[in-house]
Amino acid sequence: MSSQQLLDVLNEILDISQIQSGNYDLKAEAFHLPGLMEEVMERMLPEIQQKKLTLNFRPMQLRHEEVLGDRERLMQVFLNILGNSVKYTPAGGQTEVSVTEHESGEHGCSSYDFTFQDNGIGMEEGFIPHIFEPFSRAEDPRVGNIDGVGLGMSIAQNIVRMMGGAISVRSVPEQGSQFVVT
C-alpha cells in the first residue's frame, strides 16, 4: 500500500511538472460518456464500500452519449475529485454524482456539467481559493491523518482549463462540499 501511495505521489509530481513546462498534451478521441462515468464509479467502489458510504449516481441527462475528448484525462480529473469526496466524508456518509448536458454557443458542440457532492467534513471558506494551489492542504486537525500531498486538485484544474472548462467549488464546514466541472 505504501509503495502504491509513493507511486501515486511521483505520478502527480510528474503531471504537475509536465503541465507547468507546457509538455502536457490532450487527445481528441471518440468515447462513450456513460461508459467513462461507470468506470469512474467502479474504480471508486472498493473505497466507497470500505467506508460504508452511500453513492448516489443520478440518471445522466444527456442527448449525446458519444463525445470527443481526452477520456483518460477526464477520468483522472473525476477520480481526483471523487477520491477527495470519499476521503473527506466520514464513514456512513453520502456522495452524489450527476452529469447534465447543455447546449453550447458553438455549433455542433455541447457543454457538460459533472457535479460531485458529499456530506463530508467540508472546508472553511478561507481555504477554498487555495484548494487548487500545488501542495495545498487545509490547516485542519480533521485532515491530519488523511493521505495526500495536495496535488490532485491542482492537476484537475489544469486539465479542465486546458479543455476550455472550469471547476467551481462550494463548501460548508460539517455539511460537505460540491464540485462542478464544466
Side-chain angles (χ1 to χ4, degrees), residues 44 47 78-88:
M44 291 303 304
E47 292 176 54
F78 299 156
L79 288 173
N80 278 336
I81 294 172
L82 187 56
N84 280 350
S85 182
V86 170
K87 277 197 279 190
Y88 296 108

Side-chain angles (χ1 to χ4, degrees), residues 32-39 41 57-65 97-101 112-114:
H32 186 70
L33 188 54
L36 168 70
M37 297 309 295
E38 287 174 23
E39 187 174 342
M41 300 306 132
F57 185 50
R58 299 282 177 215
M60 290 186 271
Q61 299 174 22
L62 305 176
R63 288 179 301 129
H64 303 96
E65 294 184 350
V97 178
S98 64
V99 182
T100 306
E101 180 178 354
Y112 297 85
D113 285 341
F114 302 89

Side-chain angles (χ1 to χ4, degrees), residues 118-135:
D118 62 61
N119 66 347
I121 65 172
M123 294 175 275
E124 295 291 336
E125 188 174 330
F127 178 68
I128 293 173
H130 303 285
I131 192 170
F132 298 110
E133 295 172 2
F135 302 104

